[in-house]
Amino acid sequence: MPEMNGKVAIITGGADGVGEALADDFLNRQAKGVYIIDINEKQGQETLNSLKDKHGAGRIQFRKCDVRYTDLLEGAFKDCLGQYGQLDIVCNNAGILNEYTRKLMIDINLTAVIEGTYLAVKYMGTQNGGKGGVVVNTASRVGLSPYKLAAVYAASKHGIVGFTRSVAFEPDVLSNEVRVVAICPTIIDTNMVSITLEKGTKYIKEFKQDIAVKPMLKTAIRNTDVGQGSSIRCYVCQGVGHRAAQCPSRVTDVNHDNGEQCLQCGAIGHVAKFCHRGRHRGQERKSVKPSTTTGAAAVPKMIEKDHLLLASGEQLKVVNGACMEQSGVVEDRTLPVSQGKVGDTVVTMLRDTECNGIIVKKSLEIDTPYLRGMVEALCVQDPIYDLIVGNVPGARPPDDPDPVWNMSEAVTTRAQEEIWLSDVTSTVVRLIEDGSANGTTRLIRVGKDPVDVCPPNIE
Ligand SMILES: NC(=O)C1=CN([C@@H]2O[C@H](COP(=O)(O)OP(=O)(O)OC[C@H]3O[C@@H](n4cnc5c(N)ncnc54)[C@H](O)[C@@H]3O)[C@@H](O)[C@H]2O)C=CC1
Ligand SMILES: CCCCC/C=C\C=C\C(=O)C/C=C\C/C=C\CCCC(=O)O
């Protein structure tokens, strides 16, 4: 994939599991160099050799280092820069799950991630001779909500999430042109799972009961030999005897070329979340028609798996399938979900690239990090979020919310309003309660266009 072309990445905890898979993926995407840091020398050498066999010797390095020692970690950063002359991406990924060694776990999972982030700013920052770059901190699903079977681990991951969300907007970090993001995966069948269930927690029985009632998680670890030690197992295909880096099934996975049709640009060979064509040109996307022209036919009736079933019978994929549990409950905080305001009401909003309109419960004016001003909107009784901002003119891309937007200070100056509204003046729309017996909300189009009332049963 071209976007990694010529980039150099450091990956901590890269000898195994998620880090190893990241290394392999970056190399497949034509990264210029991947520099693996890991405390496990034997595993590191093994991974180094297998990645060299696969990708060639010059593009992969391994350095034994315990991330808890910041001076040693800094030595590795310097060595990487010496080897490749540049650094563009830092993945602070090393982590453990052991509820019996609490301080150690916080040191590795949280403190080392914090130090690794500041080292990344120091060595990639534009004010320090670098070209800027990206920091990717590996948190977890349990960094976003409580997890009673691994409380200290969950605390360390909550710490990563809180730190990442804060440091990303630290003035020094912004001015150095370093982006800082976190990833929050749910359970992945790496050695971490088998090791944890062997000696990292006393709640093995509870964990097994937990996953037994969660089909998605059960699938994710379906072949883990709990308590059988750490035999080499591929977490991609679940097969024994090879690692993810050597997994034959990864070839298509890495290229995202599985014959599926992209909902954004219509092309075959990639899915919407990997679509680059539509990325900053939301208006070209064609998965959902603009709201006011669709009327009742486009009103979502119910969620079925990862689709909205429309009254017309049409099915629309509304958000990434990964966020839909089989129960139909949407719960994935890794989506671009933010707080926003509709009038004076604080709402949870989703910046949804699979949608071309705006969906609100009731709205006159919105104020969010992705879009502000009067909007044309589809009114739905129970949307999956109070406010969904699709690919309407003026909407910022999901990975580029307004960095200075602050909910508590969300006030609009007249000058700002004019700028924000410049794109939408032809169809300024008001949502009103029509006061009819059934309480139906109607869309009333005002502004430059003649007044036009949408079908009454739009809910
Ligand atoms: N496996 C899972 O279900 C999930 C894992 N994660 C996170 O993903 C990250 C990677 O985990 P996995 O690949 O699953 O585990 P893993 O155990 O397969 O890999 C972790 C790597 O980190 C290295 N490491 C541990 N302590 C270190 C230290 N002090 N210094 C340097 N390297 C060290 C290990 O040697 C190992 O190679 C961790 O931060 C973990 O918390 C997040 C969500 C789910
Ligand atoms: C208590 C034993 C946990 C063993 C799992 C091993 C590693 C997990 C690493 C994580 O980061 C955890 C990710 C997800 C949590 C696992 C199950 C969560 C069930 C969460 C839920 O209730 O949906």
Side-chain angles (χ1 to χ4, degrees), residues 259-296:
E260 286 191 70
Q261 183 171 18
C262 174
L263 287 166
Q264 289 182 177
C265 74
I268 306 289
H270 63 271
V271 292
K273 68 178 171 179
F274 299 118
C275 179
H276 298 287
R277 194 170 150 237
R279 191 151 183 245
H280 295 285
R281 283 178 280 153
Q283 299 90 315
E284 291 181 14
R285 299 171 190 178
K286 60 180 189 180
S287 57
V288 181
K289 294 169 196 157
S291 55
T292 51
T293 57
T294 51

Side-chain angles (χ1 to χ4, degrees), residues 20-83:
E20 179 186 352
L22 284 173
D24 183 48
D25 198 38
F26 289 3
L27 291 165
N28 272 323
R29 292 164 182 247
Q30 306 310 319
K32 177 177 164 187
V34 170
Y35 192 98
I36 287 176
I37 292 171
D38 204 289
I39 196 173
N40 186 336
E41 184 159 26
K42 185 166 175 290
Q43 187 59 53
Q45 288 296 345
E46 208 176 284
T47 297
L48 176 70
N49 291 336
S50 84
L51 291 176
K52 274 184 178 173
D53 286 349
K54 189 172 173 190
H55 300 286
R59 295 165 60 213
I60 176 88
Q61 305 283 334
F62 164 67
R63 179 160 171 133
K64 182 188 176 188
C65 169
D66 184 335
V67 293
R68 285 178 300 156
Y69 300 102
T70 308
D71 51 342
L72 299 182
L73 191 57
E74 180 159 13
F77 274 67
K78 286 180 182 163
D79 185 46
C80 174
L81 274 165
Q83 304 260 2

Side-chain angles (χ1 to χ4, degrees), residues 97 139-142 147 149-150 153 157 185-187 192-193 196-197 201 203 207 210-211 214 217 325:
L97 199 173
S140 162
R141 155 87 176 75
V142 303
Y147 190 52
L149 305 185
Y153 178 80
K157 297 301 183 179
T186 188
I187 198 155
M192 176 180 265
V193 177
T196 303
L197 295 181
T201 177
Y203 296 120
F207 176 72
D210 203 14
I211 60 166
K214 291 188 169 138
L217 298 174
E325 297 230 7

Side-chain angles (χ1 to χ4, degrees), residues 416-432:
Q416 281 171 324
E417 200 164 60
E418 274 164 20
I419 294 167
W420 295 324
L421 291 182
S422 61
D423 275 345
V424 291
T425 44
S426 62
T427 50
V428 174
V429 162
R430 290 188 139 208
L431 278 171
I432 61 159

